[in-house]
Amino acid sequence: GNLPFLFVQLANYRQETKIPEDSQWAEIREAQSLALKEPLTGMAIAIDLGEADDIHPKNKEDVAIRLGRLALKIAYNRDIIAESPKLKTIEIRDGKAILSFEQTGKALINKNKYGYVRGFQIAGSDRKFYFAKAKLEGEKIHIWSRDVEKPVAVRYAWSDNPGELDIYNSVDLPLSPFRTDNWKLSTEGNVFDDGPRF
């Protein structure tokens, strides 16, 4: 109905991996984001607030601030930026994927003091992902890898725990995890009946 429904996307959890691999945790995050198709829903991104060894991260304050912004916008109709940046377009050019975003506020911000942009993976038509180099140039992020001559797909923060991430909008909300491909995922067709939960 017309009752606002706000929730928190799963935070980063477990140890970082040395190579890109399937992640049921990332797939659940994507499934959560599908709820945003419903009216009056809002999802606080917590991909930067988790802890590898604690499924319930201790930083509740930042989660509450993010939920509060969503409540002000969705339930109280305040004209504010309340959502994390989201992928808008992808362009493949000269061996790079060039991404643009929405919900950036005044601008995208790279919090890494050395200018690194971490968390991206890139793949060619063989569907094998590699960790990628990335650079914020103006309002776009350029992604590439020497292992992928002709990229076709990009994923961001696509793992149980993608580690340190750097890109935020102007109101300090982190870039949302995403993928540009629609390839079959490891959980496709799975149905939860009963048993232990994550």
Side-chain angles (χ1 to χ4, degrees):
N2 60 359
L3 178 70
F5 184 83
L6 311 178
F7 59 99
V8 181
Q9 191 180 52
L10 292 176
N12 45 318
Y13 175 55
R14 301 188 178 111
Q15 297 302 315
E16 296 176 48
T17 59
K18 291 184 168 51
I19 59 169
E21 58 186 30
D22 289 338
S23 167
Q24 293 185 0
W25 210 243
E27 293 177 34
I28 294 171
R29 286 189 196 108
E30 181 179 73
Q32 287 181 288
S33 71
L34 297 177
L36 296 174
K37 294 176 182 175
E38 298 298 323
L40 299 176
T41 54
M43 180 175 71
I45 305 301
I47 193 66
D48 59 332
L49 302 176
E51 300 169 36
D53 300 319
D54 191 345
I55 197 168
H56 299 290
K58 293 177 179 61
N59 183 352
K60 309 294 190 218
E61 183 177 1
D62 285 326
V63 173
I65 289 169
R66 293 171 187 181
L67 285 169
R69 291 188 72 86
L70 288 166
L72 287 171
K73 183 176 181 86
I74 294 168
Y76 297 99
N77 299 309
R78 291 276 297 277
D79 185 18
I80 62 171
I81 298 288
E83 298 171 89
S84 283
K86 293 179 179 62
L87 178 68
K88 184 177 180 182
T89 64
I90 177 171
E91 175 188 0
I92 305 296
R93 188 172 71 223
D94 300 328
K96 292 183 178 180
I98 303 167
L99 309 181
S100 65
F101 301 87
E102 54 191 2
Q103 301 295 337
T104 61
K106 294 178 182 175
L108 284 178
I109 295 167
N110 183 355
K111 288 190 170 186
N112 186 284
K113 65 181 179 179
Y114 301 110
Y116 299 127
V117 177
R118 296 168 287 189
F120 282 97
Q121 304 172 16
I122 196 166
S125 57
D126 63 356
R127 302 186 177 194
K128 180 171 174 52
F129 280 92
Y130 296 88
F131 287 127
K133 294 185 183 264
K135 184 176 182 182
L136 177 61
E137 295 187 13
E139 285 299 294
K140 297 186 176 183
I141 298 179
H142 296 238
I143 300 114
W144 70 96
S145 169
R146 65 181 181 183
D147 296 309
V148 181
E149 186 177 339
K150 295 180 179 178
V152 300
V154 170
R155 292 179 176 180
Y156 175 72
W158 195 265
S159 63
D160 294 356
N161 184 355
E164 293 289 324
L165 300 170
D166 309 297
I167 301 297
Y168 290 75
N169 64 14
S170 60
V171 294
D172 204 32
L173 298 174
L175 180 59
S176 299
F178 67 86
R179 65 183 178 124
T180 64
D181 62 276
N182 61 358
W183 299 334
K184 183 176 179 178
L185 298 174
S186 66
T187 57
E188 187 171 321
N190 290 4
V191 176
F192 180 79
D193 290 320
D194 194 18
R197 291 166 168 78
F198 287 105

